[in-house]
Amino acid sequence: MSPSPTPYKNQHYDILKKECQESKKLFEDSEFPCNNTSLFYKTPLPGRVEWKRPGEISESPQLFVEGISSHDLNQGEVGNCWFVAACSCLAGKPDLWQKVIPNWKEQEWDPKHPDRYAGIFRFNFWIFGTWTEVVVDDRLPTINGKLIYCHSKSKNEFWSPLLEKAYAKLSGCYESLSGGNTGDAVVDFSGAVNESISLEKGNYRTDPKVKDKLFSDLLKVYEQGGIISSSITASPAERELRLANGLVKGHAYSVTAVKRVRLGHGLLAFFKNETIPLIRMRNPWGKHEWNGPWSDSSEEWQKIGNMERNTLGITVEDDGEFWMSFDDWCQNFTDADVCRLINTSLLSVQKNWNEAVHFGDWMKHSDPLKNRCGGCMNHKETFLQNPQYVLDISQEEEEVLVSLQQRDMKIHRPRGAGENLTIGFAIFKVELNRKYRMHDIITQQNVATSTYINARTVFMREVLRKGRYVIIPSTFKPDTLGEFMLRVYTDKDAGCKELDQDKPHVSCWSSFRGYPQLVTHIYVQRAEGLENQDRSGGADPYVIISCENKSVQSVVQKDTRDPIFDTRAIFYRKKPRKPITVQVWNSNAIKDEFMGEVVLPASLKDSTDPQRLKLKQGASQTSEEMPGTISLRVVTSRQLTAM
């Protein structure tokens, strides 16, 4: 069972409701009072505001009228179409909205027992990794008796304005909801992982293969209960500008369906099996629709059989919901937010992911080794001062999902702040035995870098090969302070943890046992000439790097005589005069075959340049049996442990 939500501002719903029932008074929320501070911080409303309870607005108020639907919602005066679009998506997901609106039957008005009504409601939001319970009273802002903000088509339905009030409370006031991201609200409703996609920059408009893959991905997200939204970028002057095709710029739309629709009529349609990818959208205004191909009354619908049309539920009315081809969607919308509900349950028949969650801070410290706000890789001198997280990929190849999220900043808007930090992260392939923080970027392989953007969440999907990796989240500029949450999803448990130690610990026994004097990095890139070692024509080579009774073994390279090992090792050396050995072996089912070794002398100079070193022959082999040259491409780099 999931833990109980944490009460926001320590307000406990059950306690407050019981107190109101016993005193026979309706709840008044002192933490979100009915005054201007809860409405705005800059722009006053155009009219005299009166706070009214639902019973003063409607004779028979209800939380839900005939259930909950995406058609319930209409945007009000504040520019929070992004939030209304998220609510519209939420309404179509019973498993989600019943968690956001808990025990809704208990919260519903009961005309048979009016004495039980206490004027208090509760909603749950997933805030920075923790489910949080927010309570509000039922007093809603009105002008001329009408709700100012989000409202339902049914005058006596109140779930949407009450939910919006709870979210405004979290954000400081209603005006703080003006301008936002639909994906962020969906994450707050669900704990999903949000991926922002630029439809302009990703070749989705020009490359059919890329576009088809995107549709397949979105179809999978939709079928697995995920939530998708999209918008059209607009300048400040163009915001909410209605285009000739009916779409509105700078406006968030919810995606309410993703389908491959069968073309044709009758049995011929089934035998022909021709389909077209369509996507259904909803304008949170509840009006103004796309008027191009596949719009409500367009002639394209004549290509669809009656049974298929009935299944899709086509309605010809200006209700804000419409269909369009996926090609037109890619051409007309510029941005999409794809929120995946990542399955981590072992009991599910769907693919389950292993999740690692870490909370951290970008914080400043006078000691560079304790500083944790070094900025991005543009700042080479300070970048490695950022937090570092290590993980191991155990399969030959594995898709890894990484989500970096910062705290929501909207609550700071009333004091002139509230802008997101520009954040991102880099992934490095490191030594197989690394267990201390990185202090040298030259010897590491940067395999992926996210975009750096002032968004609340930065997401990346990356296929990583077997090995050890370090993820470094950072702000774009050094000395920028903030909190973050890093979520990493892998197929197998990757043992993801923070690297918090800079070097081996000094103990009272160090003087007796010895303490490392040098750090040596070894990078074995490849072996050449192995065809002279194996007369049968094939080999499964691997390398073992050994130093002071410690060793690191590479992955076995299957059926090759020109192996690329790409293997890194790091050693904290107590006896720097002792050599390091790199052995090459051929993997066999019965007994592995020794093929030779490189001995790196203690006197080898520090270097980051590749060195081709001849392998010593195996003890059982003679020079006549091993003609030609066998070489190993090795990179070495050393630095003092004192750093």
Side-chain angles (χ1 to χ4, degrees), residues 382-603:
T382 58
F383 172 66
L384 292 178
Q385 294 175 2
N386 288 298
Q388 301 179 15
Y389 298 86
V390 65
L391 67 152
D392 291 303
I393 301 302
S394 57
Q395 301 181 97
E396 293 301 319
E397 280 190 346
E398 189 172 324
E399 184 180 42
V400 178
L401 313 182
V402 182
S403 171
L404 177 65
Q405 180 179 328
Q406 60 182 302
R407 272 201 181 275
D408 191 10
M409 306 294 281
K410 290 194 297 295
I411 197 169
H412 302 300
R413 288 180 177 176
R415 60 180 181 84
E419 295 301 317
N420 288 321
L421 307 177
T422 300
I423 62 172
F425 56 87
I427 304 177
F428 292 86
K429 188 173 186 182
V430 299
E431 304 89 351
L432 289 172
N433 60 337
R434 172 168 287 278
K435 59 180 181 179
Y436 301 107
R437 286 175 54 83
M438 290 169 52
H439 297 281
D440 176 15
I441 204 170
I442 298 175
T443 57
Q444 312 301 341
Q445 180 186 2
N446 179 208
V447 297
T449 301
S450 75
T451 55
Y452 274 76
I453 188 171
N454 61 337
R456 202 178 77 173
T457 301
V458 176
F459 175 85
M460 177 188 285
R461 285 187 292 172
E462 189 72 21
V463 175
L464 300 179
R465 295 182 63 82
K466 190 173 183 179
R468 180 164 291 187
Y469 296 84
V470 167
I471 301 174
I472 303 182
S474 74
T475 56
F476 187 72
K477 294 181 179 180
D479 300 331
T480 304
L481 310 184
E483 297 178 72
F484 66 85
M485 175 177 62
L486 179 70
R487 290 192 280 173
V488 181
Y489 297 91
T490 52
D491 190 28
K492 306 291 183 183
D493 183 3
C496 185
K497 63 180 181 180
E498 183 176 5
L499 291 175
D500 50 12
Q501 294 188 50
D502 290 293
K503 56 185 178 180
H505 178 66
V506 179
S507 69
C508 59
W509 301 103
S510 295
S511 57
F512 298 99
R513 296 177 178 174
Y515 188 78
Q517 302 173 43
L518 283 177
V519 179
T520 300
H521 302 259
I522 302 294
Y523 172 29
V524 180
Q525 291 180 315
R526 67 189 306 161
E528 297 173 347
L530 292 185
E531 64 273 9
N532 301 317
Q533 283 271 308
D534 191 81
R535 290 170 297 182
S536 63
D540 297 326
Y542 64 92
V543 295
I544 299 176
I545 309 171
S546 301
C547 177
E548 297 185 29
N549 299 321
K550 295 182 180 179
S551 62
V552 172
Q553 180 176 319
S554 76
V555 176
V556 175
Q557 303 298 306
K558 298 291 186 181
D559 194 23
T560 179
R561 292 174 292 172
D562 186 22
I564 299 176
F565 293 114
D566 191 26
T567 299
R568 291 168 168 78
I570 181 171
F571 299 101
Y572 288 77
R573 303 175 65 185
K574 299 178 182 178
K575 301 174 182 178
R577 292 184 178 276
K578 284 197 170 185
I580 295 176
T581 62
V582 182
Q583 297 181 340
V584 180
W585 291 76
N586 183 27
S587 177
N588 288 312
I590 300 175
K591 184 180 180 181
D592 289 356
E593 174 190 3
F594 174 69
M595 302 180 76
E597 70 177 12
V598 165
V599 178
L600 302 179
S603 60

Side-chain angles (χ1 to χ4, degrees), residues 33-198:
C34 293
N35 56 35
N36 288 342
T37 61
S38 297
L39 293 172
F40 61 87
Y41 58 85
K42 183 180 180 181
T43 307
L45 291 165
R48 180 173 173 270
V49 176
E50 291 184 277
W51 296 80
K52 292 180 176 289
R53 297 188 186 269
E56 299 172 302
I57 300 172
S58 170
E59 293 182 357
S60 57
Q62 292 178 243
L63 202 57
F64 301 118
V65 173
E66 297 180 357
I68 180 172
S69 165
S70 60
H71 293 280
D72 293 343
L73 296 124
N74 287 303
Q75 183 184 341
E77 294 299 319
V78 71
N80 67 341
C81 58
W82 59 277
F83 173 76
V84 180
C87 291
S88 182
C89 295
L90 177 72
K93 311 291 182 182
D95 290 345
L96 293 184
W97 72 253
Q98 290 182 29
K99 192 163 189 175
V100 174
I101 312 174
N103 301 323
W104 65 272
K105 291 183 179 180
E106 179 268 338
Q107 298 198 72
E108 183 64 91
W109 276 265
D110 186 354
K112 296 181 180 179
H113 301 281
D115 55 306
R116 295 179 183 175
Y117 185 71
I120 184 173
F121 290 87
R122 62 174 168 180
F123 301 91
N124 292 335
F125 301 99
W126 192 84
I127 304 302
F128 206 59
T130 302
W131 280 101
T132 303
E133 181 180 87
V134 180
V135 301
V136 291
D137 61 34
D138 64 351
R139 297 177 293 176
L140 299 169
T142 67
I143 294 179
N144 297 325
K146 295 183 178 180
L147 291 171
I148 302 172
Y149 301 118
C150 185
H151 54 279
S152 176
K153 283 186 175 181
S154 300
K155 189 178 179 181
N156 62 328
E157 185 177 60
F158 288 93
W159 73 268
S160 58
L162 289 169
L163 174 65
E164 182 186 47
K165 182 175 183 178
Y167 203 69
K169 180 178 178 178
L170 275 176
S171 303
C173 68
Y174 278 95
E175 189 180 357
S176 290
L177 299 183
S178 183
N181 181 275
T182 300
D184 292 342
V186 171
V187 171
D188 293 340
F189 291 159
S190 62
V193 172
N194 181 35
E195 176 182 11
S196 296
I197 298 175
S198 172

Side-chain angles (χ1 to χ4, degrees), residues 265-315:
H265 297 264
L267 290 176
L268 181 63
F270 287 92
F271 289 116
K272 196 174 181 181
N273 197 29
E274 183 182 355
T275 62
I276 181 173
L278 297 182
I279 192 164
R280 189 176 67 196
M281 313 292 296
R282 186 176 189 277
N283 184 339
W285 287 346
K287 57 184 179 180
H288 300 329
E289 301 179 5
W290 160 258
N291 55 34
W294 299 100
S295 56
D296 282 3
S297 56
S298 71
E299 60 183 14
E300 280 77 15
W301 289 110
Q302 300 303 317
K303 302 175 183 179
I304 306 296
N306 290 333
M307 184 179 297
E308 189 82 344
R309 292 184 65 182
N310 292 335
T311 301
L312 295 174
I314 308 300
T315 57

